[in-house]
Amino acid sequence: MQSANPASFSPDDFIWKGLTLTDSAAKQISTLAAGDAAIKGLKLGVKTSGCAGFGYTMDLVKETAKDDLEFSHNGASLFVPLQAMPYIDGTEVDFVREGLNQIFKFNNPKAQHACGCGESFGVE
C-alpha cells in the first residue's frame, strides 16, 4: 500500500459529488442578485472559526476566481472555491424561515460535530 504525501495533496485530484441547492435556496440567491445585474450569484466558502473548527462564509459574487466551481439550480448560481470542497462536498444548501428568522442552512454530510450555538462545525 502506498502512503500519501500530504505535501502533494491537491483538490484537483478528486472527483467531487458537488453541492445542491433547494428550490428555496435558489429563489433566495436570485432575490439577492436581483438588485444588481453585475452579481453572478453567491459564493460559499469555509474559514477557521468557532469552537468546532470551521464556519461557513457567504458573499455575493461579481467576479469569479479561476478555481471556483459553479453549482446552479433554477437559474441561481452558487460558487465554491476548490479549496473548500474537502470540507463541504455533498452539502445541500437550503434557505429556511424559522419564526421571524430567515437563514441559509447547510446539510453537510462531512460535518461530524457542531458547536452548541450552531455557528461552526468540525470534520474528522
Side-chain angles (χ1 to χ4, degrees):
M1 179 154 115
Q2 185 177 7
S3 63
N5 177 355
S8 66
F9 170 79
S10 171
D12 291 318
D13 296 337
F14 292 88
I15 297 173
W16 304 107
K17 295 176 188 173
L19 277 73
T20 56
L21 294 165
T22 65
D23 291 343
S24 180
K27 182 178 178 183
Q28 181 62 18
I29 291 170
S30 294
T31 298
L32 293 170
D36 185 343
I39 295 175
K40 296 180 180 181
L42 203 61
K43 182 179 274 193
L44 173 62
V46 176
K47 67 176 182 174
T48 303
S49 176
C51 54
F54 300 100
Y56 300 103
T57 63
M58 296 191 86
D59 297 294
L60 293 171
V61 175
K62 289 186 178 182
E63 296 280 331
T64 59
K66 66 177 176 136
D67 70 339
D68 284 349
L69 301 177
E70 182 178 3
F71 302 96
S72 299
H73 180 65
N74 289 346
S77 292
L78 180 71
F79 299 93
V80 178
L82 187 59
Q83 296 84 356
M85 288 302 291
Y87 306 101
I88 59 176
D89 188 34
T91 296
E92 176 192 65
V93 180
D94 195 6
F95 184 76
V96 297
R97 288 180 167 79
E98 297 174 345
L100 298 175
N101 299 317
Q102 302 177 51
I103 190 169
F104 281 100
K105 285 229 168 183
F106 308 98
N107 301 312
N108 182 348
K110 296 198 173 277
Q112 299 298 311
H113 55 279
C115 68
C117 64
E119 293 295 319
S120 63
F121 69 97
V123 295
E124 294 182 11

